[in-house]
Amino acid sequence: MTVTENISLHGSYCLLKLTSLQILPDMYPGQFVQVRIEKSSTTFLRRPISIHYVDRKNNELWLLIRKIGDATRAITQYRTGDQLNLLLPLGKGFTISQRPVTADKPKLLLIGGGVGVAPLLFWGAYLKDAGFDPFFLLGARTKEELLQLEHFRKWGTVHTTTEDGSHGEKGFVTQHSILKNMRFDHLYTCGPKPMMMAVAKYAFSASIPCEVSLENTMACGIGACLCCVEDTVGGNVCVCTEGPVFNINKLKWQN
Amino acid sequence: MAELRINIGELSLRNPVTTASGTFGYGTEYADFMDIERLGGIFVKGTTLEPREGNPYPRMAETSAGMLNAVGLQNKGADYFIHSIYPGIKDLNTHIIVNVSGSSIESYVACAQKMAGLEKIPAIELNISCPNVKKGGMAFGVTPAGAAEVVRAVRKIYPKVLIVKLSPNVTDITEIARAVEAEGADAVSLINTFLGLAIDVKRRKPVLSTITGGLSGPCIKPIALRMVWQTYQAVKIPIIGLGGIASWEDAVEFLLAGASAVQIGTSNFIDPTTSLKVIHGIEAYCNEFGFRSVSELTGALMQ
Ligand SMILES: Cc1cc2nc3c(=O)[nH]c(=O)nc-3n(C[C@H](O)[C@H](O)[C@H](O)COP(=O)(O)OP(=O)(O)OC[C@H]3O[C@@H](n4cnc5c(N)ncnc54)[C@H](O)[C@@H]3O)c2cc1C
Ligand SMILES: Cc1cc2nc3c(=O)[nH]c(=O)nc-3n(C[C@H](O)[C@H](O)[C@H](O)COP(=O)(O)O)c2cc1C
Ligand code: FES
């Protein structure tokens, strides 16, 4: 695919927009792509990156990248016109059980932290298009690290927390008052594992269905190597094909 | 146009390019990315008599030009393969070869026996070289006597093409190759992964849950190639060469060193179409250098 735009966001983040001569295939929120990293000599394997958003009008795929090592640093160096080799779309995404009913729409909360907000934009947009009014709860260390807020606002109500209190409520997402003041019917979360585990703990205690998006390290990304397994109630399953999104009831996170 | 067909014992492959066990699933995983029926054959996932959960996560560590894995033969067992997987792949227009593993002679034999009953499985690859399981696996593959014992037992009950996959974690791979040839193996495939280690320096802990794992990918290619070359001097049965093949040039090197066919492993993860590119490249090479048949390349190294 061809890079149409590379926008650096705060600090170590960037937004990469890609297009293709062909119409982009069907993609579903929560799915990911496997990026071949040709610009980093120390990187051997492809890297899994969530689908941040699909802009059908412009036939564009968006990726939100956090520089953490050589591969992600190399991705942020791609410029307009560069070619990037992707396998897509991979994995299974988020699910929604109830249909929206005009009188009493299910209340959906999408909780993201750090670069984990990436798949939630696409999911929020999808939900909005499907007639839901999603809520977002986005957490970061500081206000600068809250990414893509203006985009999230297009698709739902946005709440935030920051560890330094510079935006929204001070603290972690699981301490936000909205969790006490509103009753949600479904939670979706992606972010650092400790955050997702805290959200899952809350979901278990409040008996709210919850889906999490895991980030196990991968080799093939297509179910061939069995490297990415998560220990679930049904044994070891591949995160790349059975996930990355899992219902917390399937994981051994209860304790 | 050069003839690409080659023979491994009684097994005739339409071309010498196959995919390596554990890196290509059951083939169907790759069907979205390439025409898998163009392959000479597919070596499917390691299969054991009983289901195996494999090792705990993390099972993978990236290394320079390669990776360590410690999957530990996760599979749902021979019966599951027969009832739930075989029906979906048996009519593929390429050879499906099952990689058979065990933890005892009896379990190798029982698993091989079950595979012998499957009409569309023309061959098995006996894995006596998996470094990621505690019992069996590599234990059989590191001594000539151990290797001979498994092959002897399986040969008695397995009438079809028997390929034995050798471990590089030995002092002299040719001794093992000779031992399995003497017991009636139809071919050897080499090599399986090298035992390796990766450490997370920040945590001062091994990256893999099993501490050590098997190294594969381009970083092992020169050693694999050397082992194929040595084994070619030592045995008469065909050799299937593998270890780090990422391009047609790599594959031609293995053929020249003495392999009759090759397997593509880890490179499938980087480019799922590697094997097709290798097929095209080998064909073009034969045409350019005037080889009428790809089999003429085997051992054609000039010295
Ligand atoms: C399904 C899935 C979706 C993902 N989506 C995104 C995304 O949208 N945007 C994005 O920026 N990243 C995403 N990631 C994470 C991304 O794949 C890794 O950050 C990347 O592989 C790191 O490669 P690197 O070479 O830059 O760093 P490496 O050199 O591989 O790692 C640098 C350091 O980060 C640690 N690390 C590596 N990967 C992870 C991880 N997944 N979680 C926690 N620590 C890790 C390593 O242990 C190491 O200490 C996703 C991962 C998965 C599995
Ligand atoms: C993730 C992974 C799983 C593997 N599983 C098996 C297996 O089940 N049985 C086997 O004989 N070899 C297995 N192997 C070894 C490969 O088939 C091959 O021998 C090795 O990777 C070297 O080739 P390569 O460098 O081309 O990958 C596995 C390798 C990898 C990377
Ligand atoms: S990464 Fe290979 S099976 Fe999931």
Side-chain angles (χ1 to χ4, degrees):
Chain A
M1 295 182 66
T2 312
V3 176
T4 47
E5 212 176 348
N6 178 343
I7 305 168
S8 25
L9 305 175
H10 173 77
S12 53
Y13 296 92
C14 91
L15 172 66
L16 202 66
K17 298 185 179 180
L18 299 142
T19 193
S20 159
L21 290 176
Q22 281 104 44
I23 306 271
L24 292 175
D26 282 343
M27 287 180 258
Y28 187 77
Q31 290 188 306
F32 65 99
V33 303
Q34 275 274 68
V35 187
R36 184 162 177 186
I37 315 289
E38 276 146 358
K39 288 195 171 173
S40 161
S41 60
T42 52
T43 305
F44 174 62
L45 296 166
R46 286 177 183 261
R47 290 293 192 272
I49 299 292
S50 304
I51 297 174
H52 180 40
Y53 184 67
V54 179
D55 177 354
R56 287 280 162 199
K57 209 168 76 220
N58 294 311
N59 199 41
E60 266 180 355
L61 167 72
W62 295 11
L63 304 177
L64 187 67
I65 309 290
R66 178 185 173 206
K67 275 183 258 183
I68 181 172
D70 290 350
T72 42
R73 187 173 311 111
I75 299 179
T76 63
Q77 280 157 10
Y78 280 83
R79 294 287 163 254
T80 308
D82 285 349
Q83 298 294 315
L84 211 58
N85 180 313
L86 308 181
L87 302 180
L88 84 176
L90 305 175
K92 292 197 181 83
F94 299 104
T95 64
I96 173 88
S97 46
Q98 297 135 303
R99 307 238 106 237
V101 270
T102 14
D104 189 19
K105 286 186 195 178
K107 291 200 172 50
L108 311 175
L109 182 63
L110 285 56
I111 307 176
V115 77
V117 301
L120 301 182
L121 182 66
F122 190 22
W123 182 224
Y126 180 96
L127 290 171
K128 182 76 186 165
D129 284 345
F132 297 93
D133 291 319
F135 290 80
F136 298 100
L137 174 54
L138 308 174
R141 273 196 308 251
T142 63
K143 103 174 164 232
E144 291 77 22
E145 289 179 25
L146 285 167
L147 306 170
Q148 302 286 80
L149 285 186
E150 69 287 11
H151 290 284
F152 282 104
R153 288 197 183 106
K154 279 187 216 154
W155 310 110
T157 313
V158 177
H159 297 274
T160 60
T161 60
T162 47
E163 286 171 40
D164 66 354
S166 55
H167 196 287
E169 293 184 13
K170 186 173 159 110
F172 297 113
V173 284
T174 40
Q175 297 164 333
H176 198 280
S177 57
I178 191 176
L179 293 176
K180 294 183 198 85
N181 302 336
M182 264 177 86
R183 169 77 202 176
F184 289 97
D185 298 297
H186 211 307
L187 305 180
Y188 302 93
T189 182
C190 183
K193 196 153 183 187
M195 185 206 91
M196 291 197 288
M197 292 183 98
V199 172
K201 194 171 162 197
Y202 167 79
F204 280 125
S205 69
S207 303
I208 304 173
C210 176
E211 290 183 343
V212 301
S213 182
L214 301 185
E215 291 205 345
N216 292 13
T217 49
M218 296 183 178
C220 72
I222 62 173
C225 72
L226 308 186
C227 287
C228 62
V229 293
E230 178 72 16
D231 183 19
T232 69
V233 292
N236 282 328
V237 303
C238 289
V239 169
C240 69
T241 50
E242 297 304 310
V245 176
F246 288 90
N247 189 300
I248 52 170
N249 291 327
K250 292 223 176 100
L251 304 176
K252 293 187 173 166
W253 283 15
Q254 191 105 40
N255 305 307
Chain B
M1 290 300 268
E3 173 62 70
L4 291 185
R5 193 161 278 283
I6 58 108
N7 296 313
I8 300 293
E10 314 225 298
L11 186 64
S12 169
L13 306 184
R14 71 159 68 83
N15 65 58
V17 181
T18 66
T19 50
S21 177
T23 67
F24 209 68
Y26 294 103
T28 44
E29 290 85 346
Y30 281 85
D32 286 346
F33 305 100
M34 62 176 280
D35 180 0
I36 56 176
E37 296 190 331
R38 302 270 301 283
L39 291 166
I42 298 173
F43 288 77
V44 299
K45 220 169 253 182
T47 302
T48 49
L49 184 62
E50 303 293 340
R52 284 181 58 94
E53 268 297 308
N55 294 317
Y57 180 85
R59 296 176 166 184
M60 193 274 291
E62 188 180 40
T63 66
S64 306
M67 60 181 273
L68 288 165
N69 90 80
V71 172
L73 297 174
Q74 178 180 334
N75 77 102
K76 292 187 173 161
D79 287 333
Y80 182 87
F81 174 79
I82 292 168
H83 296 117
S84 303
I85 296 168
Y86 175 67
I89 58 176
K90 74 181 176 48
D91 295 323
L92 284 173
N93 183 19
T94 184
H95 290 302
I96 305 290
I97 299 162
V98 178
N99 179 267
V100 170
S101 265
S103 51
S104 63
I105 302 279
E106 296 72 38
S107 60
Y108 273 104
V109 167
C111 190
Q113 222 152 12
K114 284 181 189 273
M115 296 306 141
L118 301 178
E119 188 199 340
K120 297 285 180 62
I121 304 293
I124 57 171
E125 177 179 55
L126 217 53
N127 178 6
I128 56 167
S129 44
C130 181
N132 295 324
V133 291
K134 285 206 186 73
K135 272 174 61 194
M138 196 167 82
F140 288 107
V142 291
T143 64
E149 196 186 350
V150 189
V151 176
R152 190 181 313 133
V154 173
R155 182 75 287 180
K156 270 193 206 126
I157 53 90
Y158 191 77
K160 301 192 216 176
V161 174
L162 179 60
I163 302 163
V164 181
K165 185 163 179 182
L166 305 185
S167 170
N169 300 303
V170 294
T171 317
D172 181 0
I173 198 165
T174 64
E175 278 183 13
I176 317 278
R178 279 202 208 92
V180 304
E181 178 183 45
E183 295 299 339
D186 294 303
V188 283
S189 52
L190 53 139
I191 53 177
N192 208 317
T193 53
F194 283 88
L195 200 58
L197 170 66
I199 295 174
D200 179 337
V201 293
K202 281 187 216 142
R203 294 165 55 241
R204 275 188 290 133
K205 285 190 170 163
V207 178
L208 301 174
S209 69
T210 47
I211 306 177
T212 60
L215 183 66
S216 64
C219 59
I220 69 171
K221 196 201 80 177
I223 317 179
L225 190 62
R226 181 262 293 175
M227 290 185 164
V228 166
W229 176 75
Q230 288 176 319
T231 305
Y232 184 65
Q233 334 283 316
V235 298
K236 298 210 164 51
I237 51 177
I239 297 169
I240 303 171
L242 74 153
I245 298 176
S247 66
W248 68 264
E249 289 95 331
D250 293 341
V252 169
E253 283 190 73
F254 275 85
L255 298 175
L256 295 174
S260 297
V262 294
Q263 295 181 14
I264 314 290
T266 303
S267 292
N268 294 309
F269 305 157
I270 317 302
D271 176 2
T273 65
T274 306
S275 48
L276 297 187
K277 290 175 182 156
V278 170
I279 297 171
H280 291 144
I282 293 176
E283 184 170 27
Y285 177 87
C286 287
N287 291 335
E288 183 181 345
F289 290 92
F291 291 96
R292 270 164 302 143
S293 164
V294 70
S295 56
E296 292 170 22
L297 293 180
T298 299
L301 180 66
M302 302 214 278
Q303 287 175 26

